[in-house]
Amino acid sequence: MQTEEARIREAMDDVRTGNTAGGRIVYSKDLRRLVRVDDAEVTDGKDPDRYLSVKPEDMDVFADPEERVPFIVLPGEQIHTVLSTREPRRLALQCRDGGKVYNGIAKTDLSRALPATIQWAPPGQGIAVTEIGAPTDRVRVIVSPRTSPSGEAMGQSPHEILGFVRTGDGWKAATVCVIPVREELFSRAKGLLETDALADATVFVVGLGSGGSPIAWELPKQGVMHFDIMDHDRLETGNVVRHMAGISDVGRLKTDVMREMILEKNPFAEVRAWDCKVSWNNTEFLRRIIRRADVVVIATDNRESRVILNKLCVEENTPCIIAAAFRRAHGGQVLRVRPHESPCYQCFLGALPEQAAYERVSNQEQADEVAYSDRPVAVEPGLSTDIAPISLMVVKLVIQELLKGKETTLKSLDEDLSAPWYIWLNRREKDTDFENLEPLECSVDGMHVLRWYGVDLPRNTGCPCCGDYVGETAARDGVEVSGDDAAEFAEQAAAI
């Protein structure tokens, strides 16, 4: 005859191994012990408070105190889908921290995910964890009705979410945490701006290196939902200390890395990734992407790509923000282009050619371009902490551009960030225009390091890109231009 101790131990094992999902084991207040019952017996009109549902986590008190219970994190949207369809579904889970956490919130390709199943257990029909899912499952989740309706009066969900993880000894109960991701993801931004204000915006980020990757990583955290990202390069070992990616990403396309990182921050975002190089050969392809963008971020490390993108943005009347770090990242600059309102990049090149050439050497190709035959130039792109302020300023300007005309707490920044050109200084670099600046110390006046400076730069009305190049050139030279000549001049100007 089975002893009471053995019977209770057997009942506890059934609960912990998932053999009682659906409420087969309850604690009877009348009998003061665990009993096996059918759901119908609990809900047949008798006092529901006579029974307490026993869940897997209730058995944790009998577990080895050194043994940590696995943790399963699921989005509330997944639970709602199961409740509405009542059909089993495959889960896309990531196994983290050596099996301590199974995360189903991150957007994970099913082909690369941990095999898992979530299934509905009908009321009155207990279901064992061994009876569901696929043979390869590592995790199984069962959604079942609570055996005691009184739980709803206490603010509990009318359903129980039971999770189990396969171990060497069989199935082990796990704690399940259900999170309403859409509601909570941007909850800390409330009061500053409604994130819906950015939800319909599309940002095109070109260049995903040490400057562009933090920009692409920050924007989804602000509520931007639609992205086009472009870079032709792969992550190299030397990039890691300045890039958002890690050593495990070396060899991967930067577009693939950043797409994952954006979705890791906002799994509801839409990301289109293009692993190609900006050139004069693919301008029409670039134009199509720019047309659907609200703002274009140009974080490339060469002048040609900036000229091309600037020209296309002006032609499509799309705002663009161009970021660049100085040599050895002793400082940097950001140019915001509002087509036909502010100076464009071509205006900038014409007005300040020396400042435009004052850029960092971040790869061997750039070093070879500026090296002398008898004196090579070192690749010295600078520290990530020196590049970070420039990237963050771009993010600020993008947000303000997207919120233009909307009433938010950030609206006052429109007055502060009204300049077209911004300069940031990290240090008083030797052999530069900033070498002899007064030290920052306790000063609040004058030009110093570790500060932003907004610079008023006039637009060139005769700019070959955004101005009347043909008309102003003809007026300056005292000639009349019309017909075919005007068309030819316009074509030449567009090629500059």
Side-chain angles (χ1 to χ4, degrees):
M1 182 177 178
Q2 190 179 38
T3 65
E4 180 67 7
E5 180 181 355
R7 191 193 62 75
I8 292 176
R9 176 62 64 182
E10 180 183 347
M12 291 189 300
D13 287 343
D14 281 345
V15 173
R16 296 190 67 209
T17 56
N19 292 324
T20 61
R24 294 180 184 175
I25 300 295
V26 297
Y27 177 77
S28 170
K29 289 184 178 180
D30 293 341
L31 302 176
R32 295 187 179 181
R33 61 184 175 87
L34 295 173
V35 294
R36 295 174 183 269
V37 296
D38 186 89
D39 284 348
E41 182 181 338
V42 179
T43 58
D44 63 359
K46 298 178 182 179
D47 181 5
D49 291 334
R50 291 172 55 201
Y51 302 96
L52 296 177
S53 178
V54 178
K55 301 181 290 297
E57 53 264 36
D58 295 329
M59 297 297 102
D60 293 344
V61 295
F62 299 99
D64 184 342
E66 298 298 321
E67 184 180 11
R68 186 176 293 275
V69 178
F71 201 76
I72 301 173
V73 185
L74 295 177
E77 293 79 6
Q78 188 71 260
I79 305 301
H80 293 322
T81 300
V82 173
L83 290 175
S84 61
T85 64
R86 304 296 171 90
E87 296 291 334
R89 294 178 60 84
R90 300 298 292 164
L91 287 175
L93 302 182
Q94 293 180 354
C95 180
R96 312 300 296 270
D97 303 328
K100 295 177 184 176
V101 177
Y102 297 83
N103 189 312
I105 292 180
K107 186 171 286 188
T108 306
D109 190 337
L110 274 174
S111 64
R112 299 172 52 193
L114 198 71
T117 298
I118 182 170
Q119 182 160 325
W120 161 258
Q125 299 179 25
I127 188 171
V129 68
T130 54
E131 298 172 1
I132 69 171
T136 57
D137 279 350
R138 286 278 305 279
V139 175
R140 289 175 181 167
V141 177
I142 299 172
V143 182
S144 64
R146 289 191 181 277
T147 56
S148 174
S150 62
E152 293 185 58
M154 301 169 59
Q156 295 178 329
S157 166
H159 302 94
E160 290 181 311
I161 317 296
L162 308 175
F164 302 91
V165 174
R166 188 194 294 274
T167 66
D169 300 326
W171 291 97
K172 177 180 180 180
T175 299
V176 179
C177 178
V178 179
I179 299 175
V181 182
R182 283 188 181 272
E183 296 175 19
E184 293 193 5
L185 193 59
F186 301 107
S187 60
R188 302 302 171 90
K190 290 180 178 178
L192 292 176
L193 74 158
E194 291 300 324
T195 52
D196 286 348
L198 301 176
D200 294 331
T202 298
V203 179
F204 181 20
V205 182
V206 192
L208 301 172
S210 55
S213 63
I215 297 169
W217 189 68
E218 284 289 339
L219 287 171
K221 296 191 289 183
Q222 320 307 318
V224 177
M225 299 293 288
H226 305 280
F227 293 88
D228 283 285
I229 56 176
M230 179 177 288
D231 198 305
H232 70 287
D233 210 359
R234 295 179 182 272
L235 191 75
E236 299 178 358
T237 307
N239 301 145
V240 172
V241 294
R242 294 181 309 278
H243 203 275
M244 298 304 300
I247 197 75
S248 61
D249 294 309
V250 169
R252 299 181 65 197
L253 290 166
K254 291 178 180 178
T255 47
D256 289 339
V257 174
M258 291 314 303
R259 181 179 184 276
E260 283 186 5
M261 296 191 75
I262 290 172
L263 294 175
E264 186 73 10
K265 283 297 175 184
N266 184 349
F268 305 105
E270 176 191 27
V271 186
R272 293 173 291 260
W274 312 100
D275 56 331
C276 54
K277 191 172 185 177
V278 174
S279 74
W280 292 108
N281 296 325
N282 62 355
T283 54
E284 291 310 306
F285 170 67
L286 294 168
R287 188 188 303 277
R288 290 195 295 271
I289 301 175
I290 289 171
R291 278 177 180 164
R292 67 172 171 244
D294 295 289
V295 178
V296 176
V297 174
I298 305 173
T300 56
D301 56 8
N302 65 86
R303 180 179 295 187
E304 182 182 53
S305 61
R306 295 174 194 152
V307 169
I308 295 170
L309 292 166
N310 171 78
K311 178 178 183 294
L312 293 171
C313 286
V314 168
E315 291 174 356
E316 296 302 324
N317 201 33
T318 302
C320 67
I321 299 172
I322 305 170
F326 298 151
R327 288 191 297 272
R328 292 160 50 91
H330 68 270
Q333 55 194 359
V334 178
L335 182 70
R336 178 181 56 200
V337 179
R338 289 173 172 164
H340 311 296
E341 295 180 25
S342 68
C344 74
Y345 185 62
Q346 197 73 53
C347 297
F348 178 70
L349 291 177
L352 299 162
E354 293 183 2
Q355 192 73 29
Y358 210 38
E359 297 170 0
R360 66 189 175 117
V361 177
S362 59
N363 56 54
Q364 192 58 52
E365 182 180 356
Q366 285 179 301
D368 293 341
E369 286 178 358
V370 298
Y372 294 98
S373 59
D374 62 340
R375 181 158 56 94
V377 172
V379 178
E380 298 177 318
L383 302 176
S384 63
T385 51
D386 292 336
I387 299 169
I390 305 163
S391 301
L392 290 176
M393 180 55 132
V394 172
V395 174
K396 282 277 189 186
L397 291 171
V398 169
I399 293 172
Q400 292 307 118
E401 203 65 32
L402 296 177
L403 293 177
K404 197 174 179 181
K406 298 179 180 180
E407 292 296 329
T408 71
T409 306
L410 305 182
K411 187 174 178 61
S412 64
L413 281 173
D414 289 341
E415 298 177 2
D416 297 290
L417 301 176
S418 60
W421 178 32
Y422 297 90
I423 295 177
W424 168 268
L425 301 175
N426 282 308
R427 60 183 178 273
R428 293 174 288 127
E429 184 82 347
K430 187 177 180 181
D431 297 327
T432 69
D433 294 340
F434 312 114
E435 178 181 2
N436 297 316
L437 291 180
E438 291 293 323
L440 173 62
E441 296 179 325
C442 298
S443 175
V444 295
D445 297 319
M447 194 170 186
H448 301 279
V449 297
L450 302 179
R451 290 182 183 173
W452 278 107
Y453 297 93
V455 183
D456 186 18
L457 181 68
R459 177 173 170 247
N460 177 11
T461 56
C463 173
C465 181
C466 71
D468 182 11
Y469 174 78
V470 175
E472 294 211 6
T473 301
R476 184 193 63 198
D477 296 340
V479 298
E480 292 186 6
V481 181
S482 61
D484 294 339
D485 290 336
E488 184 179 348
F489 277 144
E491 185 177 340
Q492 292 174 354
I496 293 179

